[in-house]
């Protein structure tokens, strides 16, 4: 079975967006912004998908994109006390949504690159997983039965001796490099940082707490490691920085208890989408970003 590039949100993204619209509309949640760091001349633009936008993490400042005011970009902006901040991260985004309007449940949003300008000085870019449907690994590898029973997912992605996810990851690299080039063209003064994806599963998993067999948990880890290595390489080749979230999030995966984990399991224990960062995760992601851009 080969992974297929998809247009729009993954299955987990669709669940997160639908839940966010229903929950937050019913609750009447409004956008808020709080806290500020020391004054800075930075003019910061955050671009990206649901790993950056923070679906369900309160407060939600854009219901269509399920974007949180407490995503890592919000924490970074407040810590820096930036002169200007534009957060256009959006759940379901892939690289095509940088160039053309993205449809959401509440209408289209402009191309993300339109948020950039000649006076932008800092840009974080968190994108790529939806281009190859990568985070649907979490859905595909769900298994009610432990090994050796059930149907492990790791052997479904090999065709002709080639791993489908790795082939798709390799094919995406030129697109990521072009994204960086296009960001730079619109914001020539900006420092640009690609942001990688976090650790979602521990070695050998934690079946049945998270119903993914141990071998499949390891496959998810190695697949994401390969994807992050591609992003790091693309950043280096493009003259951009790279923010590593995988290393600091080790030990804070979906198998850990509330308060320790930075990402939620299939059934979240805090207000966050399945296999997406919770508020604790976003706070810690911001620390990784701040340490890198310093």
């Amino acid at each position: 079975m080969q992974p297929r590039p998809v247009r729009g949100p993954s299955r987990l993204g669709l669940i997160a967006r639908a839940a966010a619209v229903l929950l937050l509309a019913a609750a009447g949640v409004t956008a808020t912004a709080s806290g500020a760091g020391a004054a800075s001349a930075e003019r910061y633009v955050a671009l990206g998908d649901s790993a950056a936008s923070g679906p369900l993490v309160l407060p939600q400042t854009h219901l269509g994109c399920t974007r949180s005011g407490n995503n890592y970009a919000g924490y970074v902006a407040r810590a820096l006390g930036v002169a200007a901040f534009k957060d256009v991260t959006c759940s379901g985004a892939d690289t095509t949504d940088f160039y053309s309007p993205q449809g959401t449940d509440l209408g289209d949003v402009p191309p993300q690159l339109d948020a950039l300008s000649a006076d932008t000085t800092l840009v974080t870019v968190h994108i790529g997983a939806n281009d190859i449907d990568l985070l649907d690994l979490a859905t595909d590898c769900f298994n009610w039965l432990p090994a050796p029973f059930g149907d492990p997912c790791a052997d479904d992605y090999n065709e002709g001796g080639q791993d489908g996810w790795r082939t798709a990851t390799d094919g995406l690299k030129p697109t990521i490099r072009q994204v960086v080039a296009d960001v730079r063209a619109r914001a020539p003064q900006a420092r640009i940082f690609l942001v990688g994806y976090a650790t979602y599963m521990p070695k050998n998993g934690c079946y049945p707490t998270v119903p993914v067999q141990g071998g499949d948990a390891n496959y998810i880890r190695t697949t994401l490691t390969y994807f992050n290595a591609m992003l790091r390489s693309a950043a280096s080749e493009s003259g951009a920085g790279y923010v590593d979230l995988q290393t600091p999030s080790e030990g804070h995966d979906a198998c850990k208890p509330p308060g320790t984990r930075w990402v939620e399991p299939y059934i979240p224990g805090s207000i966050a989408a399945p296999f997406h960062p919770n508020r604790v995760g976003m706070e810690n992601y911001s620390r990784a970003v701040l340490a890198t851009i310093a």
Side-chain angles (χ1 to χ4, degrees), residues 89-174:
T89 58
C90 194
S91 294
D94 59 34
T95 56
T96 65
D97 298 309
F98 280 27
Y99 302 93
S100 58
Q102 179 184 348
T104 77
D105 296 327
L106 298 179
D108 289 356
V109 294
Q112 292 196 25
L113 292 183
D114 286 1
L116 300 168
S117 60
D119 63 354
T120 302
T121 63
L122 175 65
V123 183
T124 52
V125 182
H126 202 155
I127 202 69
N130 288 328
D131 286 72
I132 64 170
D133 212 11
L134 182 60
L135 294 184
D136 270 6
L137 263 174
T139 303
D140 297 340
C141 293
F142 182 95
N143 206 321
W144 284 117
L145 299 175
F149 307 102
D151 179 22
C153 72
D155 59 359
D156 292 341
Y157 307 115
N158 190 290
E159 188 172 306
Q162 297 292 320
D163 182 279
W165 293 114
R166 294 196 174 203
T167 300
T169 296
D170 293 341
L172 182 61
K173 187 177 184 181

Side-chain angles (χ1 to χ4, degrees), residues 26-291:
V29 174
T30 57
T32 65
S34 61
S40 166
E42 292 280 18
R43 307 183 73 85
Y44 173 30
V45 175
L47 313 174
D49 58 24
S50 59
S53 68
L56 295 184
V57 176
L58 298 178
Q60 292 282 285
T61 61
H62 191 293
L63 293 182
C65 285
T66 59
R67 182 190 308 138
S68 173
N70 281 324
N71 59 18
Y72 70 75
Y75 282 114
V76 168
R78 293 191 289 273
L80 295 177
V82 297
F85 175 45
K86 294 181 181 178
D87 183 357
V88 293
T89 58
C90 194
S91 294
D94 59 34
T95 56
T96 65
D97 298 309
F98 280 27
Y99 302 93
S100 58
Q102 179 184 348
T104 77
D105 296 327
L106 298 179
D108 289 356
V109 294
Q112 292 196 25
L113 292 183
D114 286 1
L116 300 168
S117 60
D119 63 354
T120 302
T121 63
L122 175 65
V123 183
T124 52
V125 182
H126 202 155
I127 202 69
N130 288 328
D131 286 72
I132 64 170
D133 212 11
L134 182 60
L135 294 184
D136 270 6
L137 263 174
T139 303
D140 297 340
C141 293
F142 182 95
N143 206 321
W144 284 117
L145 299 175
F149 307 102
D151 179 22
C153 72
D155 59 359
D156 292 341
Y157 307 115
N158 190 290
E159 188 172 306
Q162 297 292 320
D163 182 279
W165 293 114
R166 294 196 174 203
T167 300
T169 296
D170 293 341
L172 182 61
K173 187 177 184 181
T175 301
I176 299 297
R177 292 181 60 181
Q178 187 62 52
V179 163
V180 175
D182 292 334
V183 169
R184 182 170 289 113
R186 297 199 188 202
Q189 300 184 63
R191 295 183 297 150
I192 305 167
F193 295 87
L194 288 180
V195 182
Y197 291 82
T199 299
Y200 292 85
M201 295 292 294
K203 292 179 181 178
N204 301 318
C206 59
Y207 196 95
T209 301
V210 174
V212 173
Q213 293 184 2
D216 289 342
N218 292 337
Y219 182 72
I220 291 172
R221 286 175 58 89
T222 57
T223 300
L224 284 169
T225 297
Y226 191 85
F227 192 82
N228 282 329
M230 180 276 291
L231 292 177
R232 184 189 292 272
S233 177
S236 177
E237 293 170 9
S238 305
Y242 177 74
V243 179
D244 174 20
L245 296 184
Q246 188 169 16
T247 301
S249 61
E250 189 72 43
H252 300 280
D253 52 75
C255 287
K256 300 304 183 290
T260 300
R261 63 177 178 240
W262 295 359
V263 296
E264 291 300 312
Y266 292 104
I267 301 177
S270 62
I271 303 177
F275 282 89
H276 282 75
N278 53 37
R279 182 166 177 168
V280 174
M282 286 300 189
E283 291 174 353
N284 284 282
Y285 290 4
S286 74
R287 294 187 179 100
V289 174
L290 288 165

